[in-house]
Structure formats: structure tokens, C-alpha cells
Amino acid sequence: MSTTTPTCPQCTLEDNHIQDAQHVCNICGYEWPANIAETSPDEDVIRDSNGTPLADGDTVMIIKDLKVKGGSNALKVGTKIKNIRLRSGDHDIEAGSYMLKSEFLRKVS
Ligand SMILES: [Zn+2]
């Protein structure tokens, strides 16, 4: 739950309370859904192991030996991969021919 007090969309004052998942304004009586204030704008951001947001074209370093699916090779700790692409899904980083998880990567600046 957010600890910040939302402002009333109608009278723009912060004097309100939550009742039955609704914000209720104490001033003008306006009601609005409480979950509006809880949606996070960062929901779609892919972050590395440090919580740094990643972007297309970034260079990352592998922080853990990784088995490569379908191959006998492994990616070693410290391997740098340039020009990553963000993808959605369990393996959310495309790095050349590899699909990796962002939690095992660290952005290199
Ligand atoms: Zn109000």
C-alpha cells in the first residue's frame, strides 16, 4: 500500500480516506477507486541484478556461469555482451543468439 496521500481528482485537496477500496474525499465527498494510485509506472522496466534499468543497445556482464540451452558451451562469469535487446518473457534479454535472464546480468557503463 502506498503511504502517500492522493489528491482528490475533483477538489485537488489531500483530505480523504479509504473505504471499501475507494478513496473518499472528506471535503467534497467525491469517490474514486483506490487502486489507481497503486499502479506502478515502472512495471514494464527490465532491471539487472543491481536494479539498474536496462535498455536496448546496452552492454552487460554475466555475473553467474550460465548453461546455454541446447549447447555444450556455458557462458562464464565476467563475459561481456554488447548490444542487448529487451524481450518480454522469462528470458527477457536477447544477446546475439542467446536468450538470457536479466537477473544474471549487470549493466556495464
Ligand atoms: Zn474532494
Side-chain angles (χ1 to χ4, degrees):
M1 293 293 283
S2 173
T3 55
T4 56
T5 305
T7 54
C8 172
Q10 184 148 294
C11 68
T12 71
L13 297 176
E14 292 185 2
D15 188 4
N16 56 73
H17 64 279
I18 292 177
Q19 183 181 330
D20 299 332
Q22 301 268 328
H23 289 294
V24 181
C25 181
N26 295 332
I27 308 300
C28 69
Y30 188 82
E31 298 182 10
W32 69 101
N35 60 14
I36 284 181
E38 291 168 17
T39 56
S40 167
D42 289 342
E43 207 171 324
D44 293 334
V45 174
I46 294 175
R47 296 173 187 278
D48 71 3
S49 58
N50 287 333
T52 305
L54 296 172
D56 282 355
D58 277 354
T59 299
V60 296
M61 183 182 289
I62 292 170
I63 61 165
K64 177 180 184 294
D65 282 347
L66 298 174
K67 278 255 169 63
V68 178
K69 208 175 179 180
S72 55
N73 294 333
L75 289 170
K76 295 286 186 190
V77 170
T79 303
K80 279 186 186 177
I81 299 175
K82 290 179 182 173
N83 202 24
I84 61 168
R85 297 285 164 203
L86 304 189
R87 293 286 179 258
S88 57
D90 187 36
H91 290 66
D92 48 10
I93 302 295
E94 181 182 328
S97 55
Y98 303 115
M99 292 300 293
L100 305 172
K101 292 186 179 187
S102 55
E103 64 193 276
F104 300 134
L105 303 174
R106 194 177 66 211
K107 184 175 176 176
V108 178
S109 49

